[in-house]
C-alpha cells in the first residue's frame, strides 16, 4: 500500500529538490508526484505517492527541517476513512454510497446513517449499517443539532457526508467538523444557491443543469468546491423532470468527490480546493 | 427550399389535427414537425417545416380560422437574415462569424460590423464587410448609443449580434430591437452575472466554466437563454487562462445560437426559449 | 396515467393529420407528440402520449384504416415491464438497477437475477429478489444457455437485461428475445468491439472512453444502439483505472437506456433506434 | 519567457531529486513541474517550466550526467514553431487557424498553405499567407507528393498540419516528418477509420460523434492520439448533418492539439502521447 505525503507552504526556491531529497535519502520510491504553485499568492502545493518502509516521526522531522516554518504537512497511510452519512428522504446518493461501500470501493467505512426521516431506514439496514432516525419535529434546531452531534461524536468519524441532507446546518455544527463536512448541492454553484435549485433553474430557463460537491463552511453553499458536473436539458423539462435527471449527476459527483478526498488528492486553501488527480 | 411555420397559442383540443389539416388541404408536404405544450401555463407551441407552393396570405388566413384568437403565427421562407455585428476588442467571436459568413454557413448576411474600438477593423474589412468605428470616449453613453442606433438604422437589420460587445446597453437601446438583440455572455448564467465573470469564477474556485448566448432584455444578463455550453477547468487555471480557454466555448455557443435563431428554430415565451432542434 | 401510441410506416401525405384526427374524434387529449421521417428510406415514425378513455380494439382499427397496410402500431398503457437481469461478477450495474427498482424508479418489475457466478447473490437477495446461480462450468455453452433460457421462460419477461453479463450469447439465445435483450458494452461502440475494451483503449492511447447500451442481435456488439456516453481520460490511466472510471458511465447509460425503452420512447428500425425523448 | 525542459527515460531512483538538483544549483526557478511514470514499461517522463538565465549547453551536459544514458532530453525556449498547413476544400479548420494566427494565438508562424484545390486560396491570401495550389490531377500520387514535399522543403517547417487534407499520405511522405505531421480525423478514433466516417457513423446509428487529432504514422489513422472530443447526436441527423455539426468539434480539437504540441506539453512514446497539461 502506497503512502501519500501532502505539503503546502509559501513558495521558496528548491522545494521540490529538498523534499524529494529527503525521500531519496530514506530510500523511498516516488510512484507519482504533483506540484503546483498558486501564482496569485505564491503558495506551493505538493502531493507525493511513495512506497517503502520508514519511521513516520523521523521522516516528518527531516521534512520540516527543509520546509518553511508555516508549512502544513500531512502524511497518510491511506487506510479507509471513518465516515457517517446524513440523509433526509432521497435515496439516490445514499444508495450509491451503500452499494459502493458494500463492494469495498469507497476507501471508507460507513459507520452509520443518520436521518431526520424514517424512509431510508430499510435500505440502510439491509446493508447492515446502523440507522439513526432523529426527527427534527417538535424541537428547536439547536436541540436537533445537539442530538445529531451527540450521535456523530459516538462514532468519531473522520468525515461527515451530507448525502442529500436537506437541513441547513448552524455555524456551530459546521465548526465541529472543519473541512470534514462534505455536501452535495443540486445545482451548478454558484448558480441557484439555497432551496429548490431545480425550480430556480426551470424558472430561469437554463439549458444545462448540474451538481456541486463541496466542503461545508459557515456560509450557505459557499464552501470550497470539490467537484462539479452538468447535463444538458431543454424546454421540455419541468422542475420535477430536472430533479429526476439531476439525481444521476448528483450521486456520481458526490461519489467522485469522496474518492478524491478519501484518497488524499485534495488540499483546501482559502476557499478553494487544489486537487491532484 | 423548405418553409417554416411557427405557431404558439393557449392549448386547445385538436390543434395539431386542425393545423395539419390546413396544410394537408393545401397539398403541402410536412418534412418535419414538432409540438410542445408547456404544462405550467398550458401553452401550445408547434413548428413545422414543409415543402410545396402556396399563397401565403390565404394560408395564414385559413390557419388563423382554426386557431385561438391570441395565437401568434410566423411563416418564414428561410431566406438569410440581415444582421449587424457589434464588437469591442476581442477577435474570436467576430472571426468565427466572418469566416462562416464567407463560406455561406450562417444563413445570414452580415451587413456591417460596428465597434467602439479600431482593433477589429482590419479583420472585418479583409472579408469585405463595412466597419464602423464609433468610439465611446468623449461623449455620454446616450450620445454614443444614439450614434450606434443611427448606423444600425441605416442597415435595417433583422438581428443585431453582440459578438463580445463589452458595453452595457440602455433600456432604450434594447427596446429598439425586442427579441432581436443576441448576446454572448462569458459565463454559465445565472452564475457570474455582470463584469469579469472569469475573475469571479477564479475567485469562487469553480471546476467548470461556460458561456451563454441569450436574447437581451432590459435587465443585465437576464434575457431568454438560447444556448449554453461548458468546459471543465481546474485549480491550475488563472482567471486569464480561463478567459483564453473560454473563448472556444463562447464562439461556438454564439454560432450555434445564431444557427438556431436564423433557421427559425426558436420561440421566445415569457423569459424563456422553446427550441425545436 | 398517460397512454403511448407508436406508429411507423412508409411515409405518405397527411399521416399526422389523419392519425391526430382519429385521436381527436375519440376525444383523446394529446399531451406530447413527436414525428420523424427518415429521408434515407422515406419512413415515417410517430410517438404520441395522450390521455382519455378509449376502447383499445376500436381505436387501433380506426387507426389502421388511415394507415398504410404495412404500418406497425404499438399502443401501450405504460404499466411496468417485466424484466430479468443477467449478470456475472461486477456489481455496479446490478446495484444501480436494484436500488432504482427498490424506490420504484425503473418502470419495471425485476422478477429475478440470473448469474453464472455466486458473488452477486447477497446483494440481490438483500433486495428481496430471487437469485439463480447457474454456473457455466462443466457443461457446454449450449447446455448452459438452455438452463438460462429455461429459467427465463419461467418468468415470461418482457425484456432481459444483460447487466455486465460477460458471456457471448448464441444466435439461438438472441432469437428467443428479438429486440428484447438489452446489453451494456463497456466501450464507445463501434470502437473496441469484443473482449477487454479497456485494455484495447489503453493500448490505443485514446483520450476518451465510453459505454454503449444496445439491443442484442446475432452479431457481437453490432445491435441497434440505444444510448452512449463518454468520459475524458488521460495517459495516467491504466486499463484497470479505465475500467474503474468506466463503471459510472456504464451504469448510468444502461439505466438511461432502460428508462427510454421501458417508457416506450424507442423504435427499432433496421439496425438503428429512433428515440423520441 | 519561460523555458521548458522535457525528459523521458527508463525510471530510476531519485530522478526528480537529481534533475531538480541541477536546476536548483543553476539558480533556475521552477514554475511548474509534472512527472509521470508509465508502470507498464517503467518509463519516466518529466516536464518542467522554469525561469532564469542559463547556458544551454552546460545545463544539458549536467542533466545528462545524472540521467540514464538512453534518456531523451528536449530544452525549448518556446519561440513560435514554423508550420505549413495542408488543406483540400473544407474551410473550417483552415479558417480557425488563420484567424488565431492573425491574432498571435497559435504560438506558431504559418509560413504557407498548400492545397490540392483552389477554393481556399482567397481565404488564405486575405490573411497575407502564401497559398500553393498543387492539383493532384493528371499525375501520379508519387509525383504529386514530390511536388508537395518540394514546397514544404522550401519552408523548413517544424510541423506540417493537415487541416482537412483529404489525401492519404505515402509512407515516404510520413517518414519525412516523423512526429511532425499532425492530422485531424473526423471521427472518434479508432471508430470509423478511413474514408467517410460520418457516413459510417450514420450507418451504424451512433449517438455520439467526435474528432481526433493525432500524429501521422505509416498506418492510416493509427498514429498517436493528441486530443479527442465528441458531441451528442440523434436519429434525426443525416450523414451530411453530422458532417456539419462535426466541423465545430474538428476545428476546436485540432486547435487544442496544436496548442499542446507547440507549447511543448506533449511527449510521444511508442504509439501514445503523454501530455502534461
Amino acid at each position: 500500500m502506497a503512502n501519500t505525503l501532502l505539503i503546502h507552504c509559501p513558495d521558496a526556491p528548491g522545494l521540490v529538490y529538498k523534499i524529494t531529497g529527503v525521500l531519496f535519502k530514506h530510500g523511498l520510491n516516488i510512484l507519482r508526484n504533483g506540484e503546483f504553485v498558486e501564482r496569485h499568492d505564491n503558495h506551493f502545493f505538493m502531493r507525493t505517492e511513495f512506497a517503502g518502509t520508514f519511521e513516520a516521526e523521523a521522516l516528518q522531522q527531516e521534512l520540516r527541517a527543509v520546509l518553511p516554518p508555516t508549512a502544513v504537512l500531512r502524511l497518510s497511510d491511506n487506510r479507509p476513512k471513518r465516515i457517517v452519512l446524513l440523509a433526509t428522504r432521497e435515496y439516490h446518493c445514499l444508495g450509491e454510497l451503500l452499494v459502493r461501500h458494500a463492494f469495498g470501493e469507497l476507501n471508507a467505512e460507513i459507520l452509520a446513517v443518520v436521518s431526520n426521516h424514517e424512509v431510508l431506514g430499510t435500505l440502510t439496514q439491509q446493508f447492515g449499517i446502523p440507522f439513526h432516525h432523529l426527527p427534527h419535529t417538535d424541537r428547536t434546531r439547536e436541540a436537533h443539532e445537539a442530538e445529531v452531534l451527540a450521535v456523530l461524536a459516538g462514532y468519531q468519524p473522520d468525515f461527515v457526508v451530507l448525502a442529500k441532507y436537506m437541513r441547513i446546518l448552524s455555524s456551530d455544527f459546521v465548526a465541529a467538523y472543519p473541512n470534514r463536512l462534505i455536501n452535495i448541492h443540486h445545482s451548478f454553484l454558484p448558480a441557484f444557491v439555497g432551496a429548490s435549485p431545480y425550480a430556480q433553474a426551470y424558472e430561469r430557463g437554463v439549458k444545462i443543469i448540474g451538481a456541486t460537491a463541496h466542503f461545508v463552511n459557515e456560509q450557505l453553499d459557499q464552501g470550497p468546491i470539490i467537484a462539479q458536473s452538468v447535463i444538458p436539458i431543454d424546454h421540455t423539462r419541468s422542475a420535477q423532470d430536472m430533479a429526476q435527471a439531476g439525481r444521476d449527476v448528483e450521486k456520481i459527483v458526490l461519489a467522485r468527490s469522496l474518492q478524491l478526498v478519501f484518497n488524499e488528492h485534495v488540499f483546501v486553501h482559502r476557499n478553494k480546493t487544489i486537487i491532484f488527480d
Side-chain angles (χ1 to χ4, degrees), chain A:
Chain A
M1 188 60 177
N3 294 276
T4 308
L5 172 67
L6 297 105
I7 293 171
H8 72 98
C9 57
D11 195 20
L15 283 176
V16 177
Y17 169 59
K18 290 168 185 169
I19 295 166
T20 55
V22 172
L23 297 173
F24 182 60
K25 280 159 209 163
H26 277 256
L28 299 169
N29 189 19
I30 294 178
L31 302 174
R32 201 167 155 191
N33 202 43
E35 310 95 44
F36 170 67
V37 176
E38 170 59 75
R39 289 291 148 208
H40 194 70
D41 60 355
N42 237 31
H43 203 81
F44 172 90
F45 299 85
M46 178 162 160
R47 179 186 184 276
T48 308
E49 285 181 25
F50 63 93
T53 56
F54 61 95
E55 209 278 292
E57 197 52 50
L59 184 68
Q60 296 205 43
Q61 226 158 15
E62 285 183 54
L63 285 166
R64 288 202 178 282
V66 303
L67 293 170
T70 57
V72 177
L73 192 151
R74 192 161 87 227
L75 189 59
S76 166
D77 59 3
N78 292 318
R79 69 164 174 225
K81 303 297 187 256
R82 297 168 53 83
I83 67 172
V84 175
L85 311 183
L86 269 59
T88 293
R89 286 164 169 283
E90 288 173 90
Y91 76 90
H92 58 290
C93 286
L94 181 62
E96 178 76 16
L97 301 182
L98 288 170
V99 173
R100 284 177 191 254
H101 180 255
F103 288 84
E105 201 155 312
L106 210 54
N107 198 23
E109 188 188 350
I110 300 178
L111 305 165
V113 173
V114 177
S115 179
N116 53 329
H117 286 273
E118 265 189 307
V119 66
L120 299 171
T122 304
L123 177 69
T124 303
Q125 285 157 355
Q126 193 174 293
F127 282 94
I129 308 289
F131 182 80
H132 299 265
H133 176 214
L134 300 180
H136 62 275
T137 46
D138 299 326
R139 68 212 72 188
T140 63
R141 187 167 79 143
E142 288 70 30
H144 184 248
E145 285 199 348
E147 290 179 59
V148 175
L149 284 168
V151 169
L152 291 179
Y155 287 107
Q156 304 259 36
D158 295 317
F159 292 93
V160 176
V161 178
L162 309 180
K164 301 290 285 180
Y165 184 62
M166 306 308 281
R167 292 182 61 77
I168 295 174
L169 300 177
S170 71
S171 298
D172 285 352
F173 194 114
V174 172
Y177 293 94
N179 287 343
R180 292 163 57 200
L181 268 169
I182 296 169
N183 184 46
I184 179 72
H185 183 77
H186 41 311
S187 87
F188 180 74
L189 287 175
F192 311 132
V193 163
S196 303
Y198 292 122
Q200 292 183 56
Y202 170 80
E203 195 54 44
R204 182 62 187 89
V206 291
K207 301 300 186 187
I208 292 177
I209 56 171
T212 304
H214 63 97
F215 289 107
V216 179
N217 66 13
E218 61 289 342
Q219 285 176 282
L220 182 62
D221 300 331
Q222 303 288 317
I225 293 171
I226 306 165
Q228 300 189 290
S229 188
V230 295
I231 47 169
I233 51 122
D234 66 18
H235 64 269
T236 65
R237 308 295 157 174
S238 65
Q240 198 182 352
D241 293 338
M242 289 185 203
Q244 188 169 9
R247 277 178 212 148
D248 291 349
V249 182
E250 292 169 22
K251 74 183 185 186
I252 299 298
V253 166
L254 177 59
R256 169 104 187 100
S257 76
L258 297 185
Q259 186 185 36
L260 291 169
V261 172
F262 297 168
N263 291 306
E264 305 285 5
H265 289 273
V266 181
F267 290 88
V268 176
H269 179 56
R270 289 128 139 250
N271 200 42
K272 294 187 197 180
T273 58
I274 310 295
I275 300 180
F276 291 97
D277 184 17

